[in-house]
Each structure stands twice: as structure tokens, then as C-alpha cells.
Amino acid sequence: MKNHILICLVLLGLGSTVMAQSDLDPRERLTAGVKAGLNISNVWDSEGQDFQADPKAGFAGGVFVGIPLGMYLGVQPEILISQKGYRGSGTLLGTSYSYSRTTTYIDVPILLQVKPSPYITVLVGPEYSFLMHQKNVFTVGANTVVQESEINNEQIRKNIFGVVGGLDVNIGHVVFAPRMGWDLLNNNGDGTSTTPRYKNRWIQLTVGVKI
């Protein structure tokens, strides 16, 4: 009986929150949702050497929350599973070869929302990425070698710091979310940071549903 009363109170509370928000401009409402799509990623050489790589597609998806700070501003944290990497090919001693790298991260962008209209939200902010899994595939002639490794990152402060920017195009409960991102620094977990020579850069295209 007590459980039934508690459930009724929770449902009444949620209903009251929805009704209270229904009178607000969409930009002033607390939102949450899920989204999924793909990354088109590559790496770039910060030392400007002769390094060539081709873009690679991978999965991107997760959850997000929009926290309004008035009508025109807000904060949008997200938690995403994000595959990045690159691929390339060439010829060695007359034999063709190809290789690809797929890195799977948990990405945590914390984005500032600028909301000029209910339909368009401009987002920009930092992103922290935690490497979970890496897969390398090497093919030389008819031979293929696959290397996979799970990353046991016990030090939560070891992460990659980057920046992300993009848009949310809001059509009812559906949101189209193009993004661009760049890695900047490695956090070593001891208060120091380093600039990696090869950094991820990516275009992210996802579609989400908001509640």
C-alpha cells in the first residue's frame, strides 16, 4: 500500500512538472533525451609533418540533458559512446598494404547553449574523453593482423581534453545535432598535461529524441 502511494505521488509530481513547463517557451524548459548517429573522424599532426590519413566512420550515441539558464542561455552536458580513428594505405616493396585504427571513447561534453530561437540552439564547450577500447587492423597483401586492447583506466583524471561546437535543430521532440570536435591535450592525472602529436578531429552527425 505504501509503495502504491509513493508511486502515485511520484506520478503526480512528474505530471505537475510537465504541466508547469507546458506554459513556458520551449527554450525555458528542462529537457532530456537520447541520440545516435555517426562520427566521421581522422587524425591531424600537430607538428605539421608529412603524415597522411583518410577519414573513418564510427558509431556515436548517448544521452543529453538541457538545463535552461533563462530563455536564451543554458548548459547541456552529454554522455556519449564515441568511435573515432583513421585509415590509410600504401605500397611497401611492391606490396600493397592498408591499416585502420578504431578507438572507442566515453565522451563527456559540457556545452554552453545559446538559443536565438526555439528551433536553433548553438552549442560550444569543452569535452573530456576517456579511452575504453582500441582496435588496429593491418593488411599486407592477403594477410591481415588484428590487434585489440581493452583500456583499464583506473585513474579517472587521465583523459583527453578537447573542444566541441555545433548546432541543435529542434523540430518538435526531434533534434538534429551536427557537431565538430578537436582534441587538444592529454591529462596525465598528476596535474600535468601534454600535447599529443596526433590528435583526433571529427564531424558528428546524430538524430535524437527529447522528452
Side-chain angles (χ1 to χ4, degrees):
M1 183 65 179
K2 290 181 179 179
N3 290 337
H4 291 163
I5 294 173
L6 181 59
I7 291 171
C8 289
L9 289 174
V10 171
L11 291 175
L12 286 172
L14 290 174
S16 298
T17 301
V18 171
M19 291 181 66
Q21 288 205 106
S22 65
D23 296 330
L24 297 175
D25 185 286
R27 290 170 289 182
E28 297 180 280
R29 298 175 186 169
L30 177 69
T31 60
V34 296
K35 63 179 181 177
L38 58 84
N39 286 333
I40 302 171
S41 62
N42 205 337
V43 291
W44 58 285
D45 184 355
S46 61
E47 296 184 12
Q49 301 298 317
D50 186 16
F51 176 79
Q52 299 292 328
D54 297 319
K56 188 177 186 299
F59 173 79
V63 298
F64 60 92
V65 177
I67 304 169
L69 302 175
M71 181 179 293
Y72 298 103
L73 294 176
V75 177
Q76 182 165 307
E78 303 179 354
I79 301 177
L80 308 173
I81 301 296
S82 182
Q83 290 183 327
K84 301 166 188 173
Y86 62 93
R87 57 188 179 86
S89 61
T91 302
L92 178 64
L93 300 177
T95 302
S96 62
Y97 69 89
S98 64
Y99 60 92
S100 69
R101 169 170 290 182
T102 302
T103 48
T104 302
Y105 292 89
I106 295 179
D107 286 346
V108 184
I110 303 173
L111 306 174
L112 173 68
Q113 297 176 321
V114 180
K115 299 174 278 189
S117 84
Y119 307 104
I120 297 292
T121 303
V122 181
L123 302 110
V124 64
E127 177 173 281
Y128 299 89
S129 299
F130 303 89
L131 180 61
M132 304 299 292
H133 182 267
Q134 181 170 293
K135 179 179 180 180
N136 298 318
V137 179
F138 303 91
T139 300
V140 180
N143 301 312
T144 298
V145 177
V146 178
Q147 297 178 340
E148 292 192 66
S149 56
E150 298 288 341
I151 309 299
N152 295 318
N153 194 346
E154 297 178 356
Q155 174 55 268
I156 194 67
R157 291 183 298 158
K158 285 187 176 181
N159 56 68
I160 299 175
F161 172 78
V163 293
V164 176
L167 298 174
D168 278 354
V169 180
N170 308 295
I171 304 174
H173 290 284
V174 178
V175 55
F176 298 92
R179 302 275 195 274
M180 293 185 67
W182 303 264
D183 287 344
L184 297 178
L185 294 172
N186 283 332
N187 180 352
N188 300 318
D190 59 0
T192 65
S193 61
T194 55
T195 302
R197 175 172 176 176
Y198 302 109
K199 304 182 181 70
N200 291 306
R201 59 182 178 184
W202 63 96
I203 296 173
Q204 187 177 96
L205 304 172
T206 62
V207 178
V209 178
K210 296 192 296 184
I211 58 174

